[in-house]
Amino acid sequence: MFNFFKKNKEEKSIIIKSPVVGRCFDISEIPDEVFSSKMLGNGIGFESTEGVLYAPIDGEILQVFPTKHALILKSKEGLEILLHIGIDTVEMKGEGFESFTEKGQQVKAGDKLLTFDNKLIKAKAKTNLSVLVVTDNEIIESVEFNLGNVEKNNDVIIIKLKK
C-alpha cells in the first residue's frame, strides 16, 4: 500500500527513440525557421541513411498527411509528436514516399511508418534534413537530448513530464 503513494511522487518520463538510422542533431540546424526557431515546439533534426522512418514511441497515429511526407502520433501520456521528412517536400505531392500506417492505428516504438527516397528528395526539395517536434510543451517539465549517429531504437530524447 505504501508503494502506491511512492509511485505517485516519482517523476514520470517518456523516452523518445530514434526515428531513423543515421544521425540526430540540434533542431536549430534545420534550414526552415518554423522548425529551427521551435515555433511548433522543441525537438531534434535528423537525417536518415536508409530512407525509413520508424515510430519513436508507442502510440496512436493521429494523422498521416496526404502527401505522406509527415505524420503526427500521440503517446498514451498525451504527448504529441510531429515527424516531418525534408523541407518543402509537400510540393512533391507524395512522389518518393510510401506509408505503412494510417490514422487511428496503434504503433510500437521501432515500427516502420514510412519509406522515402532520399536521392529524389535531395533533387526535388530544399533538403532531406527532417524533424521530430514535440508539439505540446505545456505538459513537459524538462527535455534532455542524446544527439549524434543513431541506430533504430536508440534513446534520443528523454522528457520529464510535469507532475
Side-chain angles (χ1 to χ4, degrees):
M1 180 170 161
F2 293 106
N3 285 340
F4 173 77
F5 293 110
K6 187 175 181 181
K7 284 182 183 177
N8 283 344
K9 292 182 180 181
E10 287 178 8
E11 296 173 351
K12 181 117 178 151
S13 295
I14 297 174
I15 296 174
I16 298 178
K17 305 289 187 178
S18 173
V20 297
V21 172
R23 75 179 176 104
C24 291
F25 53 89
D26 193 282
I27 197 167
S28 66
E29 296 177 39
I30 294 291
D32 183 309
E33 191 176 352
V34 171
F35 296 122
S36 64
S37 68
K38 302 178 185 177
M39 202 176 296
L40 297 177
N42 204 352
I44 57 169
F46 62 87
E47 185 174 26
S48 173
T49 56
E50 63 177 12
V52 178
L53 182 72
Y54 300 102
I57 59 168
D58 295 351
E60 178 184 356
I61 301 296
L62 295 183
Q63 180 178 4
V64 177
F65 288 66
T67 51
K68 301 175 189 143
H69 76 287
L71 58 84
I72 299 171
L73 59 106
K74 186 175 188 174
S75 74
K76 66 180 188 266
E77 297 86 0
L79 200 64
E80 289 186 14
I81 295 174
L82 167 67
L83 294 157
H84 190 285
I85 305 300
I87 302 299
D88 295 341
T89 47
V90 68
E91 296 167 14
M92 294 174 64
K93 299 181 175 134
E95 181 185 6
F97 294 89
E98 184 178 0
S99 177
F100 295 91
T101 190
E102 60 188 29
K103 181 180 178 176
Q105 185 175 338
Q106 295 294 317
V107 296
K108 296 278 186 195
D111 286 354
K112 181 165 61 170
L113 302 177
L114 301 171
T115 58
F116 48 95
D117 185 330
N118 266 321
K119 288 181 184 173
L120 189 63
I121 292 170
K122 286 178 182 178
K124 293 194 167 199
K126 186 173 182 178
T127 182
N128 73 322
L129 298 181
S130 304
V131 294
L132 179 156
V133 178
V134 180
T135 60
D136 51 352
N137 292 320
E138 63 276 352
I139 67 171
I140 297 173
E141 183 172 310
S142 66
V143 182
E144 290 179 42
F145 299 99
N146 298 317
L147 306 177
N149 292 329
V150 292
E151 297 294 326
K152 176 180 155 186
N153 279 336
N154 284 168
D155 297 351
V156 291
I157 304 175
I158 301 168
I159 296 176
K160 187 165 62 168
L161 299 176
K162 291 179 181 174
K163 295 175 184 157

